[in-house]
Amino acid sequence: MDFFEVVRRRRSIRRFTSDTVKEEDLKAILEAARLAPSPKNEQPWHFIVIRNPEFKKQLQEMVNAMMDTRIQLETDEVRRRRIEEMRFYANYFGQAPVVIAVLTQPWPVGRPELQGLQAFDSGLQGVSMAVAYILLAATALGYGSAWATAPVDFAGPELEAMLGVEKPWMLLGLASLGVAAHQPRPLPRKDLDEISTFVD
Ligand SMILES: Cc1cc2nc3c(=O)[nH]c(=O)nc-3n(C[C@H](O)[C@H](O)[C@H](O)COP(=O)(O)O)c2cc1C
């Protein structure tokens, strides 16, 4: 598939068939992430591939339980509703045949001399590129994919404990992969004129 076709086709897929992701395709998707650019080529990422349905279910149940707790503790009705609306978006990963938990380290990784010298978190920018490569590689191979940070928003420490994540690693989010059971229409994007300025 042509690169721009891949970019156009990629949608966030949140419902999957029961078809599996072939081992060689999964490796190719991870290989794409491996080749992503990163600050000082530090590659501040680690990928935990989760295929065990029972374990996925346990992770999903943990997210749900933590969301329940948050809703119970929340006194503001609007915020309670908002959390409830996010439930599906934090949980759909449980139905995906493959979930890739993406870990990163706080920037600068083992380089105290760089502390405070960056305007933004370079490590986070690097790992975000690896995530984008995962989503695009999955699309190129005909799979559906989606990125989710909401599970970490609600149950970050709990998921990290279940996944055996140890400091300085941190769980950034979950990429779901599988054969798409729906093909959502593209969501509107801002016009190019609105998001770009040419200085000639
Ligand atoms: C940093 C980031 C976090 C996201 N977190 C979630 C999430 O927690 N749950 C979810 O369902 N989608 C999540 N998404 C997917 C976005 O909702 C989606 O990309 C956006 O609505 C555009 O739709 P599209 O991907 O189909 O083009 C996230 C996307 C990004 C880039």
Side-chain angles (χ1 to χ4, degrees):
M1 209 188 296
D2 160 63
F3 174 75
F4 289 97
E5 179 64 15
V6 172
V7 172
R8 265 193 301 273
R9 270 207 199 184
R10 188 215 54 80
R11 298 258 66 77
S12 289
I13 298 298
R14 301 182 178 93
R15 288 200 307 278
F16 302 90
T17 69
S18 55
D19 295 317
T20 53
V21 177
K22 285 194 214 133
E23 188 80 16
E24 71 252 37
D25 290 343
L26 188 51
K27 293 270 171 62
I29 290 165
L30 291 169
E31 174 65 9
R34 195 174 77 86
L35 298 177
S38 67
K40 297 258 182 224
N41 196 28
E42 284 190 355
Q43 305 158 65
W45 46 61
H46 187 84
F47 308 104
I48 301 179
V49 179
I50 306 155
R51 289 187 287 197
N52 181 305
E54 187 50 39
F55 185 50
K56 250 182 297 163
K57 190 158 168 267
Q58 288 167 7
L59 293 169
Q60 186 192 37
E61 282 171 359
M62 177 56 82
V63 173
N64 257 327
M66 294 311 291
M67 291 184 88
D68 286 343
T69 307
R70 278 285 275 277
I71 289 171
Q72 276 160 20
L73 292 174
E74 188 57 68
T75 49
D76 185 291
E77 177 55 28
V78 177
R79 276 169 66 89
R80 262 212 303 273
R81 265 210 311 276
R82 184 74 192 98
I83 296 170
E84 197 50 71
E85 280 164 16
M86 289 171 77
R87 198 181 283 276
F88 169 73
Y89 298 94
N91 270 281
Y92 66 86
F93 74 88
Q95 271 70 51
V98 177
V99 175
I100 302 178
V102 178
L103 312 186
T104 190
Q105 296 191 1
W107 179 263
V109 187
R111 296 172 76 102
E113 76 280 9
L114 294 179
Q115 198 77 49
L117 290 183
Q118 270 90 30
F120 292 101
D121 186 323
S122 303
L124 201 53
Q125 294 180 53
V127 69
S128 302
M129 298 211 182
V131 171
Y133 279 34
I134 288 175
L135 304 182
L136 291 173
T139 308
L141 291 169
Y143 295 102
S145 63
W147 178 239
T149 51
V152 182
D153 295 334
F154 290 103
E158 293 75 16
L159 296 181
E160 284 178 348
M162 292 172 80
L163 291 163
V165 177
E166 290 183 5
K167 283 199 181 337
W169 291 101
M170 304 177 300
L171 177 63
L172 185 70
L174 303 175
S176 297
L177 307 177
V179 173
H182 70 135
Q183 192 52 45
R185 275 183 294 117
L187 291 177
R189 293 298 201 259
K190 294 176 184 172
D191 286 339
L192 204 50
D193 287 348
E194 197 184 337
I195 61 162
S196 60
T197 305
F198 286 68
V199 180
D200 294 321

